[in-house]
């Protein structure tokens, strides 16, 4: 398994501001993922972040709104830009440590974001 | 496109009752299937997984799931639930591209 930490664990932000969420893993991993879990909804993949390349965004998510950095193999950040109340959600990072096609993922504790 | 559906939004059981949570997936190719659990205030964690081989897989805490290819199903079962099983359960499928989650089933076990 992998130990994943996220900062902050929760935050309350004002409309129009931006928040950067950090994800730290206890060992080097190739693939890191960012998910959103809106109230009462399932987890939705925002983007895949691989070290040394641009993040790959899913349909409905764009880099201007959710810029991602992946400076090394143990760390990534997700920024939620120009926030609105619709961005209130739990944001989770996950990693795939298997290195093979089976793609078993381990999840961080999440960042609970409330936008007023 | 791949999708995963869970039939039950909220299931309420008494301790010692048997549990079966439904999960169906839609994908024509090879798919790896997972059940994740999120206990109150805790991380999402892997309960069990199916990649290939024996379609009956056993996970942690006495849970098991059966992959039935003809029914596109991967239902989660436990013969006797405990109060500590109260949690939200997510079925997920991976086609080699990304992990797709169902909407989750909240299980409440009353003592």
């Amino acid at each position: 398994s992998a130990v994943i930490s996220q900062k902050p664990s929760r935050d309350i932000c004002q409309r129009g501001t931006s928040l950067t969420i950090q994800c730290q893993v206890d060992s080097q991993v190739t693939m890191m993922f960012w998910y959103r879990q809106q109230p009462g909804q399932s987890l939705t993949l925002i983007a895949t972040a691989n070290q040394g390349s641009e993040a790959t965004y899913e349909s409905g998510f764009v880099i201007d709104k959710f810029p991602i950095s992946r400076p090394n193999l143990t760390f990534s950040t997700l920024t939620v830009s120009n926030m609105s109340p619709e961005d209130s959600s739990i944001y989770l990072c996950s990693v795939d440590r298997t290195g093979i096609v089976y793609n078993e993922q381990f999840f961080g504790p999440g960042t609970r974001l409330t936008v007023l | 496109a791949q999708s995963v559906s869970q039939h039950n939004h909220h299931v309420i059981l008494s301790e010692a009752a048997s549990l079966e949570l439904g999960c169906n997936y839609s994908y024509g190719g090879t798919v790896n299937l997972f059940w994740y659990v999120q206990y109150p205030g805790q991380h999402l964690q892997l309960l069990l997984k199916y990649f290939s081989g024996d379609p009956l897989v056993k996970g942690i805490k006495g849970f098991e799931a059966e992959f039935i290819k003809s029914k596109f199903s991967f239902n989660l079962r436990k013969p006797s639930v405990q109060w500590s099983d109260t949690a939200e359960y997510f079925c997920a499928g991976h086609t080699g591209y990304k992990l797709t989650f169902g909407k989750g089933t909240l299980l409440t076990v009353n003592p």
Side-chain angles (χ1 to χ4, degrees), chain B residues 42-93:
Chain B
Q42 295 190 25
H43 297 200
L44 197 66
Q45 58 185 285
L46 184 67
L47 199 56
L48 49 79
K49 60 192 178 188
Y50 173 78
F51 293 157
S52 63
D54 189 343
L56 184 63
V57 293
K58 295 189 183 299
I60 61 172
K61 304 187 180 186
F63 285 91
E64 66 179 30
E66 185 175 13
F67 171 63
I68 303 179
K69 188 174 182 179
S70 61
K71 295 184 178 180
F72 296 89
S73 70
F74 189 57
N75 291 355
L76 181 71
R77 300 195 293 249
K78 186 172 184 178
S80 176
V81 295
Q82 301 172 316
W83 175 79
S84 58
D85 293 324
T86 294
E88 188 152 22
Y89 294 81
F90 294 92
C91 183

Side-chain angles (χ1 to χ4, degrees), chain A residues 37 42 58 103-105 109, chain B residues 36 46 49 97-98 101-102:
Chain A
Q37 185 177 17
S42 185
E58 295 299 303
N103 294 291
E104 177 178 334
Q105 293 183 16
Chain B
Y36 283 87
L46 184 67
K49 60 192 178 188
Y97 167 57
K98 69 175 185 178
F101 283 84

